[in-house]
Amino acid sequence: MSRLNELRMIARVAQMYHIEGQRQAAIAAHLRISQATVSRMLKRAQEEEIVRTTVVTPSGTYADLETVLRTKFDLSEAIVVECSEDRDGAIMARIGEAAAHFVEATLQVDEVIGVSSWSETILKMVDNIHPMKNGKAKHVVQTLGGMGDPTVQIHANQLTTRLAKLTGAEAHLLSAPGVAQSREAKLVLLGDTYVRETMDMFGKITLAIVGIGAMEPSSMLARSGNTFSGRELAAVEEAGGVGDISLRFFDADGKFVKTPLDERVIGMSLEELSQIDRVIALAGGQSKTDSIRGALQTGVIDLLITDKFTAGRLAEMDNLQELSG
């Protein structure tokens, strides 16, 4: 009976604390016991399963899918957003909103942000970020050449400069095309002082925000002129390429696909990206599912923000492959 009496007392303490909302000091005074004893009893209440913790996920959130993605792809975090339609425009908008909230909530003091500026989803993120009264970030660095068709280039440059302004940081534009005409042309462009200064910042980046591209370029990238010809991309596919991060290609197993095209890209390499402490990828959509899965296998990405439809496909694809293996 002594154990039963002990458990009864523990249950009463738990009731007063968890249900009645009383502070530990008030419980101690009421029951004429020490606060240390109250604390020990509350711990025992959990050990004895008198108190059980239940997390009820809000409607419109997908904790189970996020757990699957974290486990399958060894991610530090995964964010799966609600979306009413499996359509690119709707998906980009929802991912952008979620990314804006996450960046606002987790941005560290003196953060150096690297951003790939030819991404419509990242542009949506910037559109949703609120100005930070006490500037947190130190620098925002463009990680892929931002020059191209003037009608599109303005979006790429504004993305970087607006993100810098919103986060209280200094902007560092990469004033060169993302794709040089030749290896020799790239070497000439790298001789520019301002281009070199920005690229020298790559090693200082603490947070990188990237998009994930399918083998067919996004409309924004295609309009900018910062892409490769259909023949060149077909050669990358023949070499196993399934997608890219800032025009750096990888295959379905996450292995980097090296081709002569690499020597023409002016921007951060996947090897450099892998050295950054936090890399957030924003991507979703039917056409990008294979590319996203390949990107997650590279080991470069720490956190993925995607939509519920894509997350479901990623989970199923991986399960099917495990079963067939």
Side-chain angles (χ1 to χ4, degrees):
M1 287 296 289
S2 61
R3 174 171 162 75
L4 193 59
N5 289 328
E6 182 185 18
L7 291 178
R8 182 183 294 108
M9 175 73 116
I10 290 169
R12 175 58 183 144
V13 168
Q15 179 187 41
M16 294 173 76
Y17 183 76
H18 291 286
I19 297 175
E20 297 173 12
Q22 295 192 43
R23 294 179 180 275
Q24 290 189 29
I27 297 170
H30 180 79
L31 295 177
R32 303 296 194 274
I33 56 178
S34 71
Q35 194 168 331
T37 301
V38 171
S39 182
R40 283 196 298 273
M41 285 184 170
L42 289 172
K43 187 178 178 183
R44 279 282 307 282
Q46 290 185 308
E47 291 169 355
E48 298 283 354
E49 295 191 336
I50 293 168
V51 172
R52 302 179 188 184
T53 303
T54 303
V55 178
V56 180
T57 56
S59 176
T61 64
Y62 299 91
D64 290 344
L65 266 179
E66 290 169 352
T67 299
V68 170
L69 294 182
R70 284 197 306 270
T71 304
K72 294 287 185 187
F73 299 108
D74 194 26
L75 298 169
S76 63
E77 284 298 331
I79 296 173
V80 176
V81 301
E82 174 66 286
C83 195
S84 58
E85 300 176 78
D86 193 2
R87 185 174 54 81
D88 287 353
I91 286 169
M92 285 191 290
R94 298 291 85 78
I95 291 175
E97 289 169 2
H101 178 270
F102 185 81
V103 168
E104 286 180 23
T106 65
L107 195 67
Q108 300 297 297
V109 175
D110 290 337
E111 197 97 73
V112 179
I113 305 170
V115 63
S116 176
S117 55
W118 294 111
S119 165
E120 291 178 83
T121 310
I122 297 177
L123 189 59
K124 295 289 186 186
M125 178 199 79
V126 174
D127 287 341
N128 283 280
I129 289 179
H130 298 92
M132 299 183 186
K133 292 178 182 177
N134 301 315
K136 281 189 172 182
K138 194 171 186 178
H139 304 284
V140 173
V141 183
Q142 199 171 36
T143 56
L144 178 64
M147 291 180 68
D149 183 305
T151 59
V152 186
Q153 180 183 319
I154 190 169
H155 292 296
N157 289 348
Q158 281 188 352
L159 188 158
T160 304
T161 54
R162 281 175 58 213
L163 181 58
K165 186 176 181 181
L166 289 164
T167 57
E170 180 184 352
H172 296 264
L173 298 175
L174 188 50
S175 301
V179 178
Q181 291 299 310
S182 65
R183 181 177 179 275
E184 292 71 26
K186 174 181 174 178
L187 291 173
V188 171
L189 290 162
L190 292 183
D192 181 89
T193 303
Y194 297 109
V195 171
R196 193 68 259 155
E197 282 180 357
T198 297
M199 294 187 75
D200 285 345
M201 294 287 296
F202 289 176
K204 299 175 182 176
I205 292 171
T206 57
L207 166 65
I209 304 168
V210 301
I212 297 171
M215 290 307 298
E216 184 172 341
S218 70
S219 59
M220 184 178 182
L221 196 60
R223 293 198 314 273
S224 77
N226 283 293
T227 187
F228 300 105
S229 69
R231 180 175 53 80
E232 290 168 329
L233 290 172
V236 174
E237 282 196 81
E238 284 179 24
V242 297
D244 77 280
I245 296 173
S246 298
L247 298 177
R248 306 293 189 174
F249 297 96
F250 49 81
D251 66 17
D253 296 321
K255 294 186 177 69
F256 302 167
V257 175
K258 296 293 186 182
T259 73
L261 301 183
D262 257 342
E263 298 180 2
R264 291 168 50 200
V265 177
I266 300 177
M268 182 176 283
S269 68
L270 291 176
E271 290 86 354
E272 287 173 311
L273 193 64
S274 69
Q275 299 302 309
I276 294 172
D277 186 46
R278 277 202 308 164
V279 178
I280 302 175
L282 319 183
Q286 177 83 53
S287 63
K288 287 189 178 182
T289 305
D290 288 336
S291 307
I292 295 167
R293 189 184 185 283
L296 294 177
Q297 303 280 37
T298 64
V300 166
I301 295 164
D302 301 296
L303 186 145
L304 174 70
I305 303 180
T306 192
D307 63 280
K308 67 175 183 180
F309 301 108
T310 304
R313 286 189 291 265
L314 288 168
E316 285 178 16
M317 285 168 67
D318 216 47
N319 287 335
L320 287 172
Q321 289 198 4
E322 283 183 355
L323 289 171
S324 64

